[in-house]
Amino acid sequence: ALTMSDRLAVMNAGRVEQIGAPRDVYEDPETLFVADFLGVSNLMDAISTGARDGGCRVVLDQFELEARGGGSDVTGPAKIVIRPERVELEPHQAPAGPNRLPGMVERLVYVGNSVQVIVRAATGQALQALVQNTGKGIPYEQGTPVQLHLPAEALRVLAAPPPPEES
């Protein structure tokens, strides 16, 4: 659908979740369902502290991040979303900067045009990053300490779903 259309609608149980150009729906999902339905997404539990400086501040474990996409008006429990191709891996000893989490490479999966790198972040959550296969290999192996850079413009904040009702 992403490659063959100029406009698409994502439906869930007969209800339209989002309508738009394929790029807009993929890059800026409006709901968790859309984020998870179209491609692979890293979904993380966070607490949103609300809008600030044109973005939204979120706390992920003890790390504060800025997200420039999604709902800047979301406060409280939230989900943050980033696509694997937007996660940047940096050497562990690289200078610290905004939107960075320490992590450890858990697994590498060769998928042809890229290598899927599974990293266990210091928050305890596993994140996927895609590293382009240039034919030169990549400087990571299982156990390599890294720094995950989650660019603010690639992070989306979505309201966390309400807890299930008890019966």
Side-chain angles (χ1 to χ4, degrees):
L2 291 173
T3 61
M4 297 177 13
S5 61
D6 57 2
R7 189 164 161 82
L8 59 92
V10 178
M11 295 181 70
N12 179 12
R15 197 177 111 253
V16 174
E17 292 271 333
Q18 187 171 349
I19 297 175
R23 180 185 180 118
D24 295 337
V25 175
Y26 180 82
E27 294 288 338
D28 196 13
E30 294 175 359
T31 67
L32 289 172
F33 180 82
V34 173
D36 201 34
F37 182 77
L38 286 179
V40 176
S41 291
N42 290 300
L43 299 170
M44 298 165 278
D45 294 317
I47 302 295
S48 175
T49 59
R52 188 167 33 163
D53 300 328
C56 185
R57 294 287 179 185
V58 294
V59 177
L60 184 64
D61 200 28
Q62 76 267 24
F63 300 94
E64 187 173 297
L65 305 172
E66 177 185 6
R68 295 235 172 236
S72 62
D73 58 339
V74 175
T75 57
K79 291 279 190 179
I80 54 175
V81 179
I82 188 167
R83 299 286 185 185
E85 64 271 16
R86 302 293 299 275
V87 174
E88 299 171 10
L89 296 178
E90 300 173 342
H92 178 68
Q93 64 275 16
N99 280 40
R100 284 168 171 80
L101 303 172
M104 179 88 55
V105 174
E106 277 192 351
R107 192 174 65 203
L108 299 155
V109 180
Y110 177 80
V111 291
N113 64 345
S114 62
V115 177
Q116 179 187 46
V117 182
I118 309 299
V119 177
R120 180 71 55 184
T123 61
Q125 298 182 42
L127 299 177
Q128 295 182 43
L130 286 180
V131 176
Q132 191 67 38
N133 178 4
T134 62
K136 298 177 185 174
I138 64 170
Y140 312 109
E141 59 185 36
Q142 185 176 6
T144 304
V146 294
Q147 202 169 201
L148 293 155
H149 179 210
L150 310 175
E153 63 277 357
L155 274 179
R156 305 284 176 253
V157 178
L158 301 172
E165 294 181 21
E166 294 182 27
S167 43

